[in-house]
Amino acid sequence: RRRWVPLNAIVASRAYRFAPMVVVLGPRMASRRVNGLGDLKDLTVVSEEGTLSDTVLMSYSGGVLIDRITHVSPGPGLFNQIEQGDFDAALVELHRLDAYRAQHRDSKISSSGHYHSIGFNLGFVGLASEAPLVAEVNAAIGDMLAKQELPALAQATGLTYLPPRQPDVLTTITRAQLRGD
């Protein structure tokens, strides 16, 4: 039995970082230029079934990549299969690629540098009743953004830093966004 605890109203802080999905390339494709998902049309693409990345790949440009995609169960095996050369590319959350490369320093997997337009800003959330605390968090984030401190912090921890995008909180993902780059 679960006991539910009402949280009441919550409010989001300012965003401090943007977390996108990135096209990951296997060792044989390391020098491949990727400007959009359409550049994957002649590659073997792997996708974790039931994920947002899978939805994007399957929906892209009316389904032009469907015949190129092999589905696997979500998990760390995706990177191993790309590393071994079983697949050429995948669309994954950037933080997962960073984590994989931090654990596998000799990895030949690379970021293509193409970030899908769908991504999520990261920030904090607090109870609306604690608005003064959220205001302090917003001030601290604003200060760090103004002083350009966040890229260095991210680099020190092995993360790729991308600045937040507007709006701070994305209210919906449209079908057009799913079908595009």
Side-chain angles (χ1 to χ4, degrees):
R1 297 180 186 178
R2 293 183 180 171
R3 190 178 116 183
W4 295 97
V5 178
L7 288 179
N8 300 320
I10 56 175
V11 292
S13 74
R14 276 184 79 166
Y16 63 87
R17 180 170 86 87
F18 183 68
M21 295 178 287
V22 63
V23 174
V24 174
L25 298 172
R28 292 189 322 246
M29 298 294 136
S31 62
R32 173 92 175 212
R33 187 170 170 94
V34 177
N35 294 314
L37 296 180
D39 294 336
L40 305 180
K41 65 182 179 283
D42 62 338
L43 301 181
T44 57
V45 179
V46 62
S47 181
E48 294 174 312
E49 60 190 357
T51 62
L52 178 58
S53 298
D54 184 36
T55 302
V56 167
L57 289 169
M58 296 293 286
S59 302
Y60 177 72
S61 193
V64 299
L65 298 176
I66 289 174
D67 292 337
R68 308 297 311 163
I69 298 170
T70 299
H71 287 95
V72 297
S73 296
L78 173 105
F79 291 111
N80 294 332
Q81 290 178 304
I82 295 171
E83 192 84 65
Q84 294 168 5
D86 296 343
F87 301 102
D88 297 325
L91 181 67
V92 300
E93 297 87 355
L94 180 58
H95 70 89
R96 290 183 60 206
L97 174 61
D98 288 341
Y100 179 82
R101 292 196 317 196
Q103 293 174 354
H104 302 88
R105 297 277 183 206
D106 59 341
S107 174
K108 302 290 188 243
I109 292 176
S110 61
S111 165
S112 68
H114 174 70
Y115 303 114
H116 193 273
S117 61
I118 296 175
F120 302 94
N121 284 326
L122 300 180
F124 299 93
V125 69
L127 294 173
S129 61
E130 297 295 329
L133 176 59
V134 175
E136 287 182 39
V137 170
N138 283 338
I141 291 171
D143 187 50
M144 292 178 83
L145 287 169
K147 292 178 180 175
Q148 298 286 318
E149 293 175 343
L150 294 170
L153 285 173
Q155 185 177 20
T157 60
L159 288 173
T160 303
Y161 178 78
L162 295 173
R165 298 180 180 176
Q166 290 298 317
D168 275 338
V169 178
L170 185 63
T171 57
T172 186
I173 297 174
T174 67
R175 288 182 193 250
Q177 288 172 308
L178 288 174
R179 292 189 295 254
D181 281 308

